[in-house]
Amino acid sequence: VTTESGADVVTTESGAEFVTTESGAEVVTTESGAEVVTTESGAEVVTTKSGAEVVTTESGAEVVTTESGAEIVTTESGAEVVTTESGAEVVTTESGAEDVTTESGA
C-alpha cells in the first residue's frame, strides 16, 4: 500500500508492519508490539512493548532508556554512562575507569 504522501506500508500475515516514509525513514512494528524506526540519516530507535527505548545514532553511539526511567548511554568510543531513575550516575570510560555520582551529588 502506498499512501497519498508517498509512504509505503507493508503488513505481513504474522501482523508485523513495515512503513517506509517518503523521506526514506523506515518504521517496523513487530507482531509483539515493538517498534523499530530507522531514520534517513541512519539512526535507529527501538521501542519495546514494555516501553523501553534503544536509540542507536548513525555514529554508533547507543542510548537505552528503560521502562523504569533509567538511561544507559554507550558512546562510539566505548565509554558508558548509566543514569538511574533516582538520579545517580555511573560513568565507565573506555579504559575501564569508573566514576559514580550519587543522586545527592556525592
Side-chain angles (χ1 to χ4, degrees), residues 86-105:
S86 63
E89 193 177 75
V90 180
V91 179
T92 307
T93 66
E94 52 273 38
S95 64
E98 199 173 89
D99 182 35
V100 179
T101 307
T102 65
E103 51 273 38
S104 62

Side-chain angles (χ1 to χ4, degrees), residues 24-82:
E26 191 178 73
V27 182
V28 178
T29 307
T30 68
E31 52 273 35
S32 66
E35 192 179 73
V36 182
V37 179
T38 307
T39 67
E40 52 274 36
S41 64
E44 191 179 75
V45 182
V46 179
T47 307
T48 67
K49 185 175 56 176
S50 63
E53 192 178 74
V54 182
V55 179
T56 307
T57 67
E58 53 274 36
S59 64
E62 191 178 75
V63 181
V64 179
T65 307
T66 67
E67 53 273 36
S68 64
E71 193 178 74
I72 302 163
V73 179
T74 307
T75 67
E76 52 273 37
S77 64
E80 191 178 74
V81 181
V82 178

Side-chain angles (χ1 to χ4, degrees), residues 13-25:
E13 57 274 28
S14 63
E17 191 178 72
F18 298 83
V19 179
T20 306
T21 67
E22 56 277 27
S23 64

